[in-house]
């Protein structure tokens, strides 16, 4: 860290700058005089730019007082204004004709309606701007701190989830949020979360495969939208808009690490529970450039490299003598990304567009410790025991191609999007104990892959001649999902015994060496499978301004899945402008989520030896023989009913307030059951006959109701020659389990089918609240950002069936920025600068094997960073 600080000081001292500046302020509105949030304001011919706030206001310091300012916004025509002699420029943007980069604001298929005009709450997050002030580098952690309804925690000790962070909106499942890129459905991860404290039994989209440096902004629709976009959009939609700028070279180089062990939350009556340490070194380097092509075509390319070292948060043995995981902490990873976005005119109003990218991640995480005297260890190989390393190689690729045109006034968009996510497991510094000294020390344990291919035709047209704001859209999509699970190498899963480890003096108790790779036994050939599913859907979508103050929108969508059949969903939404500065909005909709193919086809078999006999512990494939024999029904869609009501207000200049309440009722949520074994009086004999010692199943079993409130307020005020921005954002949430439904043979065994511990994990994924207060001050070349984040109390049931309480905690982030020249920005700061941790507990009973669960702000501690950003 000292070397990095020295380099920053040297760089700052030798930077040369001299340029004339001029501040221009103003407001950007649409044709209805409604403010346009997130509109882009750029100084033409330079890399200098900003975006409007929630009220459409902006302030930009231009380098050439006689320059030209360019104004643009999604779905609007770009305008250029001469800045000479002007200090204030207010502008009205009108709807554009078709263009290559046209992307509808999520939640509306009208190209003419901005985010501030929609009937449902939409957050516009300017990622390109916010990454200048944040210490977080990956997308999940950025959104965790800037979007109150978004929750993501780094997991530890959970196999695959150490390498892919589960994330969710409004406390619902990771697979109940739809992710779009440039308005097109993006593929999910092939990983199904089996362990960890969040998203157990769920799949989801791995947002960290998309580099933040490639993103212009993110739109978060906080409302059910399955009737508009199809499966998964129960909690809402995250729409990622990629950069499309040209002739500007931008980039960042940042580094930072955890400096921890001194915070008050680490105090105990026996001393500090961890020693002071510096670890988790994180380095990120990225570059972005857009090339102009002929006839206003473009291609924007981003390259990104992100590396993270491990953190170590071992057990404090003075307080808790049992130490099952001596190297507990966050995984390390190397992340490589290449993304592009582009378009080329063909003829007239027809253009070809393309975007996509590739990501490669190689991760490494320590598993639970194997002690020297354990039957899992071969003492001649590891005299002091060992800590297996679970390693991952994740390859994620996607490409989207399309043609946009206009035919007799109808905007048409024909698109094909293909995405694939492959996850492979490796285990290193380990052993197959049943092979003893002859065992390899590293293994390939198998993996899985999910590919999704979507082809769609989308058509819309504005009918202003019929009624103001009238828009009609319809379209159709067909999607093919393919899932494949592959076995590991033979030694990674096979028990080459029975091999006796020890026998009691009375010969009544014999312990056998287990087979398979310690840390993560490989998938077996009987787990291998491949499945393809096809679904077809069609939708209709319309909206209209009944009056200047009252708009109504509606949508209906039908879909057919090759495995579970038909589903039909609808949505109605409305917005009423009561006063010029006060509007009400609300919606009601039905939705669904199709079970993912990883949930349908995932299978895992561990081999154990009991009393000299070999038995298997199984997570059974839903459409396999075991599940069918037991009576587990075929997975079907989850069904939801969403309702929301809220208002937006601007009571005084530069102050905006939005409050939105919501209710989401979900039936037949897919969960992973508890473990049933051969002693069960209902299905035990079935397990015995199939030589299965114990088994878990994916099943539709849980009904839930989530109610909550989102509050977002923002205020901007000029102080001297600077500008202060204040934002408060809060999400209040309550999840209730209404019903647990078992199969007929297991009625009365709900405590095993979906037990108390799993129920607490589900509730913990929907924390009662998350609050954020942010202050941002800019004056000339200097800027400062201060953020407080409050995390609600969380309760989790541990392995001893005791409730662990994690009290509410608040973290503080602080950063300072300096424009060293018109091309160079330097930022220094820290996240969680007071080294706050969740409450600690006995590691003998936690899910992670450490003193902290993966809740709230995580267990990394204080993180400090430096960053250099450039634009040329």
């Amino acid at each position: 860290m000292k070397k990095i600080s020295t380099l920053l000081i040297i760089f700052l001292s030798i930077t040369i700058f001299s340029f004339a500046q001029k501040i221009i302020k103003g407001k950007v509105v649409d044709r209805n005089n409604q403010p346009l949030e997130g509109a882009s304001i750029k100084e033409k011919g330079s890399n200098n730019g900003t975006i409007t706030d929630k009220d459409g206001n902006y302030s930009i310091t231009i380098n050439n007082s006689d320059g030209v300012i360019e104004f643009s916004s999604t779905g609007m025509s770009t305008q250029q204004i001469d800045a000479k002699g002007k200090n204030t420029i207010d502008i009205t943007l009108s709807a554009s004709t078709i263009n290559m980069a046209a992307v509808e604001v999520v939640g509306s298929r009208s190209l003419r309606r901005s985010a501030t005009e929609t009937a449902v709450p939409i957050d516009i997050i300017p990622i390109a701007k916010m990454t200048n002030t944040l210490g977080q580098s990956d997308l999940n952690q950025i959104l965790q701190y800037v979007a109150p309804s978004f929750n993501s925690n780094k997991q530890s000790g959970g196999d695959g989830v150490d390498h892919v962070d589960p994330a969710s909106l409004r406390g619902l499942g990771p697979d109940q949020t739809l992710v779009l890129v440039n308005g097109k459905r993006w593929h999910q991860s092939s990983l199904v979360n089996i362990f960890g404290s969040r998203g157990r039994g769920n799949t989801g989209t791995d947002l960290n495969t998309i580099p933040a440096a490639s993103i212009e902004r993110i739109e978060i629709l906080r409302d059910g939208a399955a009737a508009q976009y199809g499966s998964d959009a129960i909690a809402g939609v995250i729409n990622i808009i990629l950069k499309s700028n040209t002739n500007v070279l931008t980039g960042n180089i940042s580094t930072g690490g955890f400096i921890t062990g001194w915070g008050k939350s680490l105090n105990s009556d026996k001393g500090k529970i961890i020693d002071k340490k510096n670890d988790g070194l994180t380095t990120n380097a990225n570059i972005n450039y857009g090339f102009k092509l002929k006839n206003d075509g473009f291609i924007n390319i981003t390259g990104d490299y992100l590396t993270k070292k491990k953190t170590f948060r071992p057990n404090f043995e003075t307080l808790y003598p049992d130490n099952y995981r001596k190297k507990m902490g966050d995984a390390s990873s190397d992340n490589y990304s290449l993304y592009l976005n582009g378009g080329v005119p063909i003829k007239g109003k027809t253009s070809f567009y393309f975007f996509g990218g590739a990501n490669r991640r190689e991760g490494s995480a320590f598993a639970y410790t194997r002690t020297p005297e354990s039957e899992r260890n071969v003492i001649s190989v590891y005299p002091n025991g060992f800590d297996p390393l679970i390693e991952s190689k994740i390859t994620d690729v996607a490409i989207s191609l399309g043609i946009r045109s206009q035919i007799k006034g109808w905007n048409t968009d024909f698109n094909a999007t293909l995405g694939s996510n492959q996850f492979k497991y490796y285990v290193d510094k380990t052993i197959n104990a049943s092979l003893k000294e002859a065992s390899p020390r590293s293994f390939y344990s198998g993996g899985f892959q999910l590919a999704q291919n979507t082809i769609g035709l989308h058509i819309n047209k504005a009918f202003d001649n019929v009624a103001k704001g009238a828009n009609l859209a319809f379209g159709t999509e067909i999607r093919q999902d393919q899932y494949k699970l592959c076995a590991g190498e033979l030694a990674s899963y096979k028990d080459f015994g029975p091999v006796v480890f020890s026998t009691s003096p009375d010969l009544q108790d014999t312990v056998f060496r287990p087979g398979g790779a310690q840390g993560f036994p490989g998938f077996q050939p009987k787990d291998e499978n491949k499945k393809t599913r096809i679904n077809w859907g069609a939708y209709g979508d319309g909206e209209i301004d009944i009056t200047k103050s009252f708009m109504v929108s509606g949508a209906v969508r039908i879909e057919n899945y090759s495995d579970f059949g038909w589903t039909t969903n609808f949505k109605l939404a409305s917005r009423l402008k009561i006063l010029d500065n006060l509007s009400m909005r609300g919606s009601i909709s039905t939705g669904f989520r199709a079970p993912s193919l990883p949930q349908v086809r995932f299978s895992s078999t561990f081999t154990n030896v009991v009393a000299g006999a070999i038995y298997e512990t199984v997570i059974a494939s839903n459409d396999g023989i075991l599940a069918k024999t037991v009576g587990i029904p075929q997975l079907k869609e989850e069904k939801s009913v969403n309702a929301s009501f809220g208002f937006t207000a601007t009571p005084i200049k530069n102050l905006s307030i939005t409050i939105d309440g919501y209710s989401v009722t979900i039936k037949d949520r897919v969960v992973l059951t508890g473990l049933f074994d051969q002693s069960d009086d209902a299905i035990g004999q079935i397990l015995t006959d199939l030589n299965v010692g114990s088994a878990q199943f994916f099943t539709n079993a849980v009904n839930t109701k989530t109610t909550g409130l989102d509050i977002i307020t923002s205020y901007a005020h000029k102080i001297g020659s600077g500008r202060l921005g204040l934002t408060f954002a809060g999400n209040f949430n309550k999840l209730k389990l209404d019903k647990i439904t078992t199969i007929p043979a297991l009625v009365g065994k709900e405590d095993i089918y979906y037990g108390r511990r799993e129920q607490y994990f589900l509730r913990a994924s929907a924390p009662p609240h998350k609050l954020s207060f942010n202050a941002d001050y800019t004056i000339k070349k200097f800027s400062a950002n201060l953020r407080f984040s409050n995390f609600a109390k969380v309760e989790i049931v541990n392995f001893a069936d005791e409730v662990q309480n994690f009290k509410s905690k608040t973290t503080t982030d602080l950063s300072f920025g300096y424009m060293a020249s018109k091309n160079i920005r330097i930022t220094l700061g820290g996240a969680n600068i007071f080294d706050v941790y969740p409450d600690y507990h006995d590691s003998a009973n936690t899910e992670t094997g450490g003193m902290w669960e993966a809740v709230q702000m995580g267990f990394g501690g204080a993180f400090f960073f430096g960053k250099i950003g450039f634009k040329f």
Side-chain angles (χ1 to χ4, degrees):
M1 296 293 289
K2 291 182 179 178
K3 292 182 179 179
I4 295 165
S5 299
T6 302
L7 288 173
L8 289 174
I9 293 171
I10 293 173
F11 186 89
L12 177 61
S13 65
I14 65 173
T15 303
I16 301 174
F17 54 90
S18 61
F19 51 92
Q21 293 184 322
K22 173 178 164 183
I23 297 176
I24 293 181
K25 300 179 181 180
K27 187 171 185 177
V28 182
V29 298
D30 62 16
R31 72 201 198 301
N32 295 321
N33 202 36
Q34 293 296 309
L36 286 175
E37 178 186 0
S40 174
I41 297 93
K42 295 181 179 179
E43 181 180 3
K44 189 175 180 182
S46 79
N47 57 354
N48 189 26
T50 187
I51 65 170
T52 55
D53 61 19
K54 292 180 179 296
D55 301 314
N57 297 316
Y58 72 91
S59 175
I60 184 172
T61 301
I62 62 173
N63 302 323
N64 182 358
S65 60
D66 296 334
V68 175
I69 309 299
E70 185 176 87
F71 298 82
S72 63
S73 183
T74 301
M76 300 291 177
S77 295
T78 298
Q79 292 193 41
Q80 296 181 355
I81 303 295
D82 191 341
K84 185 176 182 179
K86 299 182 178 72
N87 294 312
T88 300
I89 300 177
D90 294 326
I91 194 164
T92 300
L93 295 182
S94 58
S96 66
T97 59
I98 189 165
N99 63 81
M100 290 176 296
V103 179
E104 303 139 354
V105 174
V106 66
S108 171
R109 295 191 186 274
S110 171
L111 291 173
R112 302 186 176 211
R113 198 174 298 280
S114 70
T116 58
E117 296 176 293
T118 61
V120 290
I122 299 171
D123 299 326
I124 305 293
I125 300 174
I127 293 293
K129 178 182 177 182
M130 301 199 72
T131 52
N132 290 328
T133 62
L134 295 172
Q136 294 80 12
S137 299
D138 61 70
L139 195 53
N140 267 341
Q141 288 302 300
I142 291 172
L143 292 177
Q144 163 80 341
Y145 285 91
V146 302
S149 58
F150 184 92
N151 288 284
S152 177
N153 295 104
K154 288 189 173 296
Q155 309 285 299
S156 184
D159 295 343
V161 292
D162 284 34
H163 309 273
V164 179
D165 299 339
S168 62
L169 282 179
R170 288 181 166 177
L172 300 179
D175 46 12
Q176 292 167 337
T177 298
L178 176 63
V179 175
L180 309 176
V181 175
N182 284 356
K184 309 305 180 190
R185 175 182 286 269
W186 217 238
H187 62 283
Q188 292 184 330
S189 168
S190 57
L191 175 71
V192 59
N193 304 324
I194 304 300
F195 304 106
S197 60
R198 179 181 294 278
R200 294 159 74 96
N202 296 161
T203 52
T205 300
D206 185 0
L207 292 176
N208 289 341
T209 61
I210 305 174
S214 69
I215 301 171
E216 179 65 31
R217 70 178 187 276
I218 294 179
E219 303 167 350
I220 300 181
L221 168 62
R222 293 179 279 116
D223 194 57
Q228 295 164 286
Y229 300 104
S231 176
D232 308 340
I234 290 178
V237 180
I238 296 175
N239 187 25
I240 297 170
I241 306 299
L242 301 177
K243 290 180 178 178
S244 58
N245 56 285
T246 60
N247 293 339
V248 177
L249 177 69
T250 63
N252 287 280
I253 300 173
S254 66
T255 188
F258 293 98
I259 303 177
T260 187
W262 48 272
K264 291 183 179 180
S265 60
L266 299 174
N267 293 338
S268 76
D269 56 4
K270 295 184 179 181
K272 288 283 186 182
I273 63 173
I274 63 172
D275 297 326
K276 290 184 180 180
K277 59 178 61 189
N278 303 344
D279 60 12
L281 180 66
T282 300
T283 302
N284 181 222
N286 57 68
I287 190 167
N288 173 271
Y289 187 75
F291 298 88
K292 271 193 174 183
L293 304 179
K294 289 182 178 180
N295 301 321
D296 292 328
F298 74 96
I299 179 171
N300 184 282
I301 302 175
T302 302
D304 185 275
Y305 171 66
L306 173 63
T307 180
K308 298 181 180 181
K309 303 301 182 183
K310 291 182 178 66
T311 64
F312 297 97
R313 303 294 179 266
N315 182 43
F316 185 47
E317 295 186 21
T318 304
L319 191 62
Y320 303 120
D322 295 323
N323 195 357
Y324 296 106
R325 194 166 174 230
K326 293 183 178 180
K327 295 189 176 181
M328 183 266 190
D330 288 338
S332 61
S333 65
D334 289 298
N335 213 62
Y336 311 84
S337 300
L338 181 66
Y339 260 67
L340 57 86
N341 182 32
V344 180
I346 298 176
K347 184 178 180 181
K349 296 182 178 181
T350 301
S351 60
F352 170 73
Y353 65 89
F354 54 91
F355 57 89
N359 174 271
R360 171 77 167 186
R361 184 182 311 146
E362 298 178 358
S364 177
F366 280 108
Y368 276 67
T369 298
R370 269 56 175 177
T371 57
E373 65 279 2
S374 169
E375 71 275 12
R376 300 173 182 271
N377 181 41
V378 178
I379 203 163
S380 60
V381 178
Y382 297 112
N384 300 315
F386 65 101
D387 298 272
L389 280 169
I390 301 176
E391 300 180 336
S392 65
K393 293 184 179 179
I394 304 171
T395 303
D396 191 278
V397 294
I399 185 68
S400 183
L401 309 171
I403 293 177
R404 289 194 180 97
S405 188
Q406 193 175 88
I407 303 173
K408 295 185 178 181
W410 290 88
N411 300 312
T412 62
D413 183 351
F414 179 75
N415 175 267
T417 301
L418 173 65
S420 172
N421 181 271
Q422 182 187 72
F423 193 122
K424 291 184 176 181
Y425 285 102
Y426 298 83
V427 194
D428 193 21
K429 297 181 180 178
T430 184
I431 201 167
N432 182 327
S434 69
L435 282 172
K436 302 174 73 172
E437 289 84 355
S439 171
R441 309 298 191 262
S442 60
F443 304 85
Y444 168 58
S445 290
F448 26 74
Q449 182 176 9
L450 178 67
Q452 294 181 319
N453 183 15
T454 305
I455 298 176
L457 175 63
H458 310 278
I459 301 172
N460 71 73
K461 183 178 182 181
F463 290 91
D464 284 340
N465 58 327
V466 176
K468 195 171 184 180
N471 192 87
L472 178 64
F474 57 90
T476 183
E477 290 179 330
I478 185 169
R479 186 171 81 248
Q480 181 187 66
D481 296 350
Q482 291 182 317
Y483 177 73
K484 182 180 181 181
L485 191 153
C486 299
E489 62 181 276
L490 180 66
S492 73
Y493 62 81
K494 185 175 176 60
D495 189 321
F496 292 90
V499 177
V500 175
F501 173 71
S502 65
T503 304
S504 62
D506 59 6
L507 305 181
Q508 298 299 309
D509 188 13
T510 302
V511 177
F512 296 88
R513 289 189 178 278
Q518 286 299 306
F520 192 90
F523 295 108
Q524 300 189 15
K526 64 180 66 178
D527 297 319
E528 286 190 314
N529 66 77
K530 185 177 181 180
K531 184 176 177 64
T532 298
R533 177 173 70 191
I534 296 176
N535 77 285
W536 169 84
Y539 67 88
D541 186 321
E543 52 190 73
I544 188 172
D545 294 336
I546 304 297
T547 68
K548 289 184 178 180
S549 302
F550 181 49
M551 67 84 64
V552 176
S553 66
V556 63
R557 187 181 185 103
I558 59 171
E559 292 208 33
N560 178 264
Y561 282 76
S562 58
D563 51 358
F564 67 80
W566 290 92
T567 178
T568 302
N569 294 276
F570 76 91
K571 180 172 184 176
L572 292 173
S574 181
R575 179 184 179 94
L576 175 64
K577 185 176 180 181
I578 302 172
L579 302 170
D580 286 341
N581 58 359
L582 177 64
S583 296
M584 297 172 58
R585 60 190 180 191
S587 71
I588 185 169
S589 65
T590 62
F592 78 103
R593 187 193 72 84
S596 68
L597 286 190
Q599 289 175 319
V600 175
R601 293 307 295 263
F602 180 83
S603 176
S604 177
T605 305
F606 300 148
T607 301
N608 295 315
V609 180
V610 180
I614 295 178
Y615 293 95
E616 295 174 340
T617 298
V618 173
I619 298 177
S621 170
N622 176 256
D623 56 2
I625 295 175
L626 176 57
K628 291 179 180 178
T629 305
V630 168
I632 302 294
Q634 178 181 338
L635 290 180
K636 59 184 178 180
E637 76 276 23
E638 301 173 346
K639 298 178 181 179
S640 69
V641 176
N642 293 56
S644 68
F645 178 79
F647 69 86
T648 66
T650 52
I652 60 175
K653 184 180 180 180
N654 295 332
L655 173 65
S656 69
I657 302 171
T658 68
I659 299 178
D660 293 278
Y662 59 88
S663 171
V664 185
T665 301
I666 306 176
K667 292 181 61 178
D668 302 320
R669 289 183 71 159
V670 177
V671 299
L672 182 62
T673 71
L675 204 62
F676 290 90
D677 59 30
Q678 294 181 357
S679 66
D680 187 85
D681 58 2
I683 66 172
Q685 189 58 49
I686 296 174
L687 301 179
T688 301
D689 293 342
L690 294 174
N691 199 37
V692 174
S694 56
Q696 293 175 273
F697 308 93
F698 285 96
T699 182
N700 297 94
V702 177
N703 294 353
T704 63
K705 183 175 183 179
T706 302
T707 54
L709 189 70
D710 289 329
I711 301 176
I712 299 177
T713 65
S714 64
Y715 177 70
H717 184 68
K718 183 179 178 181
I719 299 179
S721 58
R723 185 176 180 84
L724 174 67
L726 302 175
T727 303
F728 169 79
N731 171 250
F732 301 86
N733 215 37
K734 183 178 180 180
L735 184 147
K736 179 183 177 183
L737 275 75
D738 287 337
K739 186 179 181 182
I740 298 173
T741 304
T742 69
I743 61 173
L746 297 175
V747 171
K749 298 180 180 179
E750 288 80 4
D751 59 332
I752 302 176
Y753 206 79
Y754 196 67
R756 179 170 177 257
R757 189 163 180 267
E758 297 301 321
Q759 293 176 36
Y760 268 78
F761 274 125
L762 183 63
R763 293 190 184 98
S765 67
H769 72 256
K770 189 173 75 172
L771 311 176
S772 175
F773 174 79
N774 186 80
D776 190 293
Y777 183 69
T778 302
I779 179 169
K780 296 183 179 179
K781 303 172 188 177
F782 296 91
S783 64
N785 183 271
L786 175 66
R787 176 183 291 107
F788 299 101
S789 300
N790 178 260
F791 299 87
K793 173 184 176 181
V794 175
E795 294 182 336
I796 290 178
V797 170
N798 63 19
F799 282 115
D801 201 36
E802 301 167 338
V803 176
Q804 297 174 327
N805 289 301
F806 298 88
K807 298 176 184 177
S808 177
K809 296 292 178 72
T810 299
T811 61
T812 305
D813 301 345
L814 179 65
S815 67
F816 298 95
Y818 177 69
M819 290 299 300
S821 74
K822 65 179 181 179
N823 302 117
I824 305 294
R825 177 186 177 89
I826 297 176
T827 305
L828 298 174
N832 190 9
I833 60 175
F834 295 116
D835 201 31
V836 178
Y837 279 70
D839 292 337
Y840 54 85
H841 294 273
D842 188 348
S843 61
N845 297 315
T846 62
E847 178 75 14
T848 63
M851 292 182 291
W852 299 277
E853 298 285 16
V855 297
Q856 297 172 331
M857 76 294 296
F859 42 80
F863 182 90
F864 295 93
F865 68 94
K867 179 180 295 188
I868 298 176
F870 59 85
K871 285 185 177 182
F872 293 98

